[in-house]
Amino acid sequence: MLSKGDDFPLHQTPEPVAYAGSDRNFYDRYFFNGYSADGTTFFAVAFGIYPVLDVVDAHFCVIKDGTQHCLHASRKLCMERLELSCGGIAIEVLEPLNRLRVTVEGEGLAADITFTGRAFPIEEPRFTWKRGPRTIMDYTRMTQNGHYEGWISVDGIRSDLPTGTAGTRDRSWGIRPVGMADPQAPQVVPQFFWQWTPINLPRRSVFFHLNAHPDGSAWNTRAVSVPDGSDADGQIHTNDAILASTLQTATRWPSSSELTIAGEAFTLEPLLRFQMRGLGYTSPNWGHGLDHAELEIEREDINLSSIDPARPDNLHVQMLCRVTGPSQETGFGVFEQLAIGDYAPLGLTGLAAPA
């Protein structure tokens, strides 16, 4: 099966690009989020390819007046991995590792937005997580902060992105649980703890992430400071970082927090909450890689004030935060958290119960 990718020097095996090894959970994903400098605009995009499942899915969300408007789409991949469009959501790579364009058209939602990176993307440590003999995760991710320009329309009301709209995009590929659950997987209470804080400051970007075991010990973590315009050699990577966070009352959602990286302290003040299920993460209906036949498109509107915080598919959130750093250095970023199962440092036990 030859495809468009075979005319590019992308091959990793002796087979055509359409084939991605034998692991059914192999995936390749784009992610974007963006927000205005005053914290009133927030949007996000996810686009995933699952070569062995022969599925591609895409999601677009924008928050307006307390409602998270979501467009979901899924179709058959047909083994063509360079066809970056799905149900009215499309991605165009204008300049690799720097500029990308996202367009949206469907179910009353539309957008045309272009991302431009502030510096060369960071490569995070390879994520490898095993449970007994099974490999649950094994993937690589690159992350990049940047600026956006363009417009978004909700039900015919179009708004240009305000000057200074910023955000983060990432690319990840490898193995994660996707599609239907494996019926032969061990039947245990799941546990997964994740925190991620990409921050846009006036002259630099700051990144921190943590994957941790139930006792709080890290199995993957890194902090990075990236000056604007720098290449890979200009990035400062360290594991000398700690995020002291609390939870909102009766939830597993993060509250005000302080991130300390190599002696520099950053205070994160939440302004707005985004539900990651709008992008398919932990969604029972639109989970990544689920088979929706030839093509399915659906709009979902989430009233953010009526969310049940204890429902498992509502645990995964991004909090848009105002960030204050050393010497009153101020900016914006997100605090993403997913806490499933036990996590001793925050007093969490069981699948989804609050502390």
Side-chain angles (χ1 to χ4, degrees):
M1 169 65 188
L2 296 179
S3 65
K4 296 176 183 178
D6 289 306
D7 231 359
F8 295 86
L10 302 174
H11 299 88
Q12 301 293 311
T13 74
E15 293 187 292
V17 169
Y19 302 98
S22 59
D23 196 310
R24 70 175 296 279
N25 285 338
F26 188 87
Y27 81 100
D28 212 327
R29 180 172 300 141
Y30 294 83
F31 167 86
F32 302 82
N33 70 17
Y35 39 83
S36 59
D38 61 3
T40 60
T41 300
F42 191 96
F43 61 88
V45 182
F47 192 104
I49 293 171
Y50 316 93
V52 182
L53 300 178
D54 203 31
V55 168
V56 56
D57 53 32
H59 311 266
F60 171 77
C61 298
V62 59
I63 294 177
K64 183 177 181 181
D65 298 329
T67 298
Q68 183 174 319
H69 304 282
C70 313
L71 178 63
H72 308 288
S74 174
R75 65 169 174 84
K76 288 294 186 183
L77 178 63
C78 299
M79 300 181 74
E80 180 52 78
R81 297 173 66 182
L82 288 186
E83 191 65 46
L84 299 180
S85 64
C86 179
I89 301 172
I91 294 175
E92 184 179 357
V93 180
L94 303 176
E95 182 184 342
L97 304 181
N98 188 37
R99 295 184 69 238
L100 297 92
R101 180 188 180 202
V102 177
T103 56
V104 178
E105 183 65 54
E107 305 297 311
L109 301 178
D112 189 337
I113 53 182
T114 298
F115 172 93
T116 301
R118 298 181 61 177
F120 194 80
I122 67 168
E123 179 181 342
E124 296 170 350
R126 183 168 171 173
F127 292 79
T128 304
W129 184 38
K130 296 180 181 290
R131 182 181 293 153
R134 291 176 175 261
T135 298
I136 307 300
M137 291 183 171
D138 185 7
Y139 67 91
T140 292
R141 189 169 81 159
M142 69 177 189
T143 304
Q144 183 177 37
N145 278 359
H147 298 290
Y148 289 95
E149 57 185 358
W151 56 267
I152 295 174
S153 176
V154 178
D155 296 327
I157 301 176
R158 172 172 159 165
S159 302
D160 291 336
L161 294 181
T163 300
T165 298
T168 304
R169 69 112 178 179
D170 70 45
R171 285 276 293 109
S172 64
W173 57 92
I175 297 167
R176 284 187 185 182
V178 297
M180 296 182 65
D182 184 347
Q184 287 189 285
Q187 299 302 305
V188 298
V189 176
Q191 188 278 336
F192 187 77
F193 187 82
W194 164 251
Q195 292 177 323
W196 183 47
T197 62
I199 297 168
N200 279 285
L201 296 169
R203 291 177 295 279
R204 61 171 172 159
S205 299
V206 174
F207 304 91
F208 169 79
H209 76 262
L210 170 69
N211 271 130
H213 297 293
D215 64 0
S217 59
W219 60 264
N220 193 302
T221 188
R222 182 65 58 89
V224 190
S225 179
V226 183
D228 279 359
S230 62
D231 58 16
D233 292 336
Q235 302 171 359
I236 303 171
H237 292 244
T238 180
N239 285 334
D240 180 13
I242 186 168
L243 180 59
S245 61
T246 58
L247 299 177
Q248 295 184 21
T249 302
T251 78
R252 290 192 172 206
W253 300 334
S255 184
S256 296
S257 307
E258 184 167 289
L259 172 65
T260 304
I261 301 175
E264 290 191 308
F266 303 87
T267 300
L268 284 69
E269 175 193 354
L271 303 174
L272 175 150
R273 187 184 76 253
F274 175 82
Q275 297 296 145
M276 291 292 282
R277 69 177 168 93
L279 297 179
Y281 294 87
T282 70
S283 169
N285 300 322
W286 286 97
H288 297 147
L290 291 176
D291 189 353
H292 291 261
E294 294 302 315
L295 175 66
E296 185 172 352
I297 301 170
E298 182 179 74
R299 175 164 168 177
E300 177 185 16
D301 292 333
I302 303 172
N303 183 339
L304 294 172
S305 66
S306 62
I307 291 293
D308 177 4
R311 208 173 79 181
D313 60 330
N314 288 331
L315 299 180
H316 195 179
V317 295
Q318 285 193 350
M319 313 297 289
L320 176 60
C321 295
R322 179 181 291 110
V323 180
T324 303
S327 303
Q328 297 304 302
E329 184 182 24
T330 59
F332 287 88
V334 299
F335 183 168
E336 179 179 326
Q337 182 166 289
L338 174 58
I340 300 175
D342 296 354
Y343 190 66
L346 292 177
L348 299 174
T349 58
L351 177 66

